[in-house]
Amino acid sequence: MPPRKKKDAKPKPMKAILWESADQLRGTLDAAEYKHFVLGLVFLKYVSVAMAEKRTQLEEGLSDGSMLSSLGLEGTASAELIAQTIEDRRQYTGAGLFYVPPTARWELVMERARGTLEGQSLGEVINDSMDSIEKANPALRGTLPQEFNSPRVNETTLAGLVKLLDRLEFQTQVGEDGKRIGARDLMGEVYEYFLAQFALAEGRKGGEFFTPESIVRLLVEMLQPQEGERVLDPACGSGGMFVQTEKFIELHEGNRFNISVYGQERNLTTWRLAKMNLAIHGIEANLGEEPADSFHDDQHPELKADVVLANPPFNISNWGGERLGMDPRWTYGVPPVGNANFAWIQLMVNKLRPGGRAGIVLANGSMSGKSGGEGEIRRRMVEDDLVACMVALPAQLFRSTQIPACLWFLAEGKGRRHSDWVKGRAGEVLFIDASGLGEMVDRTLRVLSATDIERIASTLRGWRGVDGAPTYQDVPGFCRSAPLDEVRGNDFALTPGRYVGVTEAAEDPDAESAEAKVERLTKELFVHFEEAGRLEAVVREQVGRL
């Protein structure tokens, strides 16, 4: 009998192959360096290829004369003019691309990785490339890693990684008009995939720069940022909120370039990651002049945003609150020094324009805790009718922490002048208990599905009175619109479970009535009594014979 033919193994996706190869560097570098190291190479590959595509477009357009008029030229372009134009930095920066000097391009790095270029080591070549790109593009200054020549990095391993990244292929980055287009390609996907994988690899520390995608999507779907608006994340991590915002606007046929993005991040490595992430996705963002703490070094002091969204670190005690006791941002009361939750909330409220809206991820304790004056701050916020919606999230959505989390949605001016975002809901708060939603992807991590996200978001849209949204109705066990008087009666606790009640059991048309069930069980009980009596008599008889 011939041996059974083995089934072909399912081929691994390119992203998984890239991750496994990049993971070879782990152990030679610490987590923070390793992350920035690999993603820096991904970025170098991206900017080089995007520029090469634009350069080819310029060269072809000048050669056949189709681009001469757009450049203010007449006649036939000479070889000298073509060579000069395709190296003109303004041709790239004006199209939303980064200019990569000839000595910094990926092709040169690849030559050294293959061993066909003599002289400097591969690490030195990459370092020089990063330095040249920063000098040619002031917006990237201080952003790119330059630690590739470290003695801890094996040259052979580095060359293997470079060759692997060279396999990346992606769709066009330059449209017919010569302008930068969206990063709906393998490069953008690889970068996001790597960010997620690094967050998993770093565990708790990974949560400092990466918010799970399903939570980011939920925030964006509920806040619905629109083109022309100003969006702020004062704890922006690696910029995932902005990427999802751009995707949302594009999905709803808006102009993703017509949005102003502002962020702030205090960790230098994470700030760099954010700048590279946004650059790959073609998002122009103002992340401040440098990494900085939003509480103590506001990089956008005059900004008033239409939308504020953030996942700040939970329950942090070392935020320097003792130095901000009389800060004018504490509109509703001085937050406790030992916990920054209500400092974050008030900081974001302070950044809202009149009628603006905010969505914030916080620990569950923020909904009912009273220590350090938190209860009084929450009371004042509720009395001011600032709180629009509270969402209780399922457990295990964050691999980096087991602390249960919730979402706060705030609408500036909801009670005083009925903000445009919420129509006719003055004096009400929407409570949504989503703690039973989500699906486990492994034994420790839960993810909200697209169906879950739409259910929660459409509930808020209906409550807000959005045109075309389903009419809002309370659903026992899931959602309820409660008046402020009821919230007062609950001592201003905002835990959804206090308000939504319990899920109604579905009616079974074939189910027996309560009266019939009692009658049936009573008959069964008497039958058991009779049987018990019969068995007792048998036992007595058998014992008497002994």
Side-chain angles (χ1 to χ4, degrees):
M1 182 175 179
R4 182 179 297 177
K5 188 176 181 180
K6 291 184 179 180
K7 290 184 178 180
D8 292 336
K10 186 177 179 180
K12 289 187 178 180
M14 172 68 77
K15 289 180 286 188
I17 295 172
L18 287 170
W19 170 253
E20 288 182 7
S21 299
D23 206 34
Q24 294 175 11
L25 286 171
R26 197 152 35 153
T28 61
L29 298 169
D30 65 40
E33 286 181 297
Y34 164 54
K35 171 173 70 246
H36 204 49
F37 190 95
V38 174
L39 291 172
L41 287 175
V42 175
F43 181 79
L44 177 59
K45 164 75 173 178
Y46 158 72
V47 293
S48 295
V49 180
M51 181 181 166
E53 183 182 342
K54 175 66 175 178
R55 191 168 64 248
T56 299
Q57 186 186 66
L58 282 170
E59 191 169 9
E60 291 175 351
L62 289 170
S63 297
D64 62 22
S66 61
M67 295 186 66
L68 289 175
S69 59
S70 64
L71 296 175
L73 302 173
E74 296 180 359
T76 303
S78 64
E80 182 181 357
L81 176 60
I82 293 175
Q84 182 181 6
T85 304
I86 64 174
E87 287 301 334
D88 184 350
R89 178 180 174 276
R90 294 169 297 179
Q91 298 299 328
Y92 303 94
T93 57
L97 300 169
F98 293 106
Y99 176 72
V100 184
T103 57
R105 292 169 190 165
W106 184 259
E107 294 84 355
L108 191 72
V109 173
M110 274 301 300
E111 282 188 47
R112 187 64 191 84
R114 294 190 185 107
T116 56
L117 180 69
E118 297 181 355
Q120 292 179 303
S121 69
L122 177 58
E124 290 173 325
V125 170
I126 298 173
N127 280 349
D128 286 350
S129 295
M130 298 292 187
D131 183 59
S132 296
I133 293 172
E134 282 196 358
K135 287 177 179 177
N137 302 275
L140 292 175
R141 193 158 294 155
T143 298
L144 305 181
Q146 297 179 33
E147 300 89 19
F148 294 91
N149 199 39
S150 168
R152 292 173 295 162
V153 180
N154 181 281
E155 184 90 354
T156 302
T157 302
L158 179 57
L161 179 57
V162 169
K163 292 174 186 176
L164 190 79
L165 290 173
D166 189 59
R167 294 168 57 187
L168 281 174
E169 297 178 0
F170 44 103
Q171 299 165 5
T172 181
Q173 297 296 299
V174 182
E176 293 181 0
D177 61 356
K179 300 292 185 181
R180 169 78 167 83
I181 61 176
R184 293 294 168 267
D185 51 34
L186 186 57
M187 186 63 73
E189 290 177 10
V190 165
Y191 201 90
E192 291 177 47
Y193 174 80
F194 271 27
L195 284 172
Q197 293 299 110
F198 279 119
L200 294 180
E202 292 188 53
R204 181 177 296 273
K205 185 174 176 58
E208 294 181 9
F209 71 87
F210 185 82
T211 303
E213 183 183 3
S214 64
I215 296 177
V216 179
R217 285 183 55 202
L218 178 58
L219 274 174
V220 172
E221 287 286 342
M222 296 186 79
L223 290 169
Q224 293 188 298
Q226 308 295 316
E227 61 174 299
E229 292 190 319
R230 291 158 295 180
V231 177
L232 168 70
D233 182 348
C236 70
S238 55
M241 299 286 188
F242 303 137
V243 172
Q244 284 297 327
T245 294
E246 179 248 7
K247 288 180 180 178
F248 178 88
I249 291 173
E250 192 169 56
L251 182 64
H252 291 78
E253 300 182 350
N255 181 358
R256 68 182 190 85
F257 293 108
N258 185 21
I259 188 170
S260 300
V261 171
Y262 301 86
Q264 187 157 341
E265 170 58 45
R266 67 177 183 176
N267 181 281
L268 174 60
T269 299
T270 306
W271 182 77
R272 289 173 170 174
L273 287 178
K275 297 196 78 170
M276 288 193 291
N277 189 21
L278 297 177
I280 282 181
H281 284 86
I283 300 173
E284 293 187 15
N286 182 344
L287 302 186
E289 293 296 321
E290 59 187 359
D293 187 305
S294 290
F295 291 124
H296 301 278
D297 187 9
D298 187 354
Q299 297 287 294
H300 313 290
E302 306 301 322
L303 175 66
K304 293 295 182 182
D306 300 278
V307 179
V308 177
L309 70 172
N311 172 29
F314 295 169
N315 302 327
I316 57 171
S317 58
N318 58 338
W319 62 283
E322 66 280 358
R323 305 196 301 275
L324 299 171
M326 301 301 292
D327 196 287
R329 291 173 291 186
W330 310 149
T331 305
Y332 298 100
V334 179
V337 171
N339 192 316
N341 288 343
F342 280 87
W344 281 116
I345 292 178
Q346 294 186 87
L347 179 151
M348 295 182 210
V349 172
N350 181 262
K351 286 295 185 182
L352 287 176
R353 69 157 179 82
R357 57 203 186 275
I360 311 164
V361 187
L362 285 174
N364 274 1
S366 64
M367 297 190 289
S368 58
K370 295 182 178 181
S371 61
E374 290 183 342
E376 180 61 16
I377 296 173
R378 188 171 54 250
R379 180 191 71 78
R380 292 174 181 172
M381 292 172 62
V382 172
E383 293 285 14
D384 199 27
D385 209 358
L386 174 69
V387 181
C389 176
M390 299 296 301
V391 180
L393 293 173
Q396 296 179 285
L397 289 179
F398 297 84
R399 202 183 291 271
S400 58
T401 178
Q402 294 302 308
I403 299 174
C406 62
L407 301 180
W408 289 63
F409 291 94
L410 311 176
E412 202 285 328
K414 177 170 75 76
R416 295 187 297 278
R417 52 186 169 274
H418 300 275
S419 73
D420 293 337
W421 190 61
V422 178
K423 302 173 183 177
R425 291 292 182 177
E428 296 179 62
V429 178
L430 174 63
F431 293 95
I432 299 177
D433 187 351
S435 58
L437 301 184
E439 52 194 34
M440 299 299 293
V441 295
D442 57 38
R443 64 182 184 84
T444 61
L445 185 65
R446 183 182 299 271
V447 172
L448 292 171
S449 68
T451 302
D452 295 331
I453 292 170
E454 176 57 23
R455 183 185 181 190
I456 299 167
S458 63
T459 298
L460 177 60
R461 290 197 297 269
W463 182 82
R464 286 174 42 219
V466 175
D467 292 340
T471 302
Y472 173 79
Q473 289 185 330
D474 290 340
V475 178
F478 178 68
C479 65
R480 181 156 177 268
S481 184
L484 293 190
D485 281 344
E486 185 174 348
V487 180
R488 292 186 187 101
N490 279 303
D491 201 18
F492 299 95
L494 298 177
T495 309
R498 290 176 177 249
Y499 301 91
V500 301
V502 296
T503 304
E504 289 184 347
E507 292 188 10
D508 182 357
D510 299 324
E512 64 182 333
S513 65
E515 294 81 0
K517 188 173 185 177
V518 169
E519 183 179 357
R520 174 176 60 80
L521 292 176
T522 300
K523 289 180 179 179
E524 291 178 4
L525 180 62
F526 285 132
V527 169
H528 290 311
F529 282 163
E530 291 175 2
E531 179 65 10
R534 186 185 68 78
L535 292 175
E536 182 182 2
V538 171
V539 170
R540 287 179 180 277
E541 181 182 352
Q542 295 297 324
V543 171
R545 291 176 179 177
L546 295 177

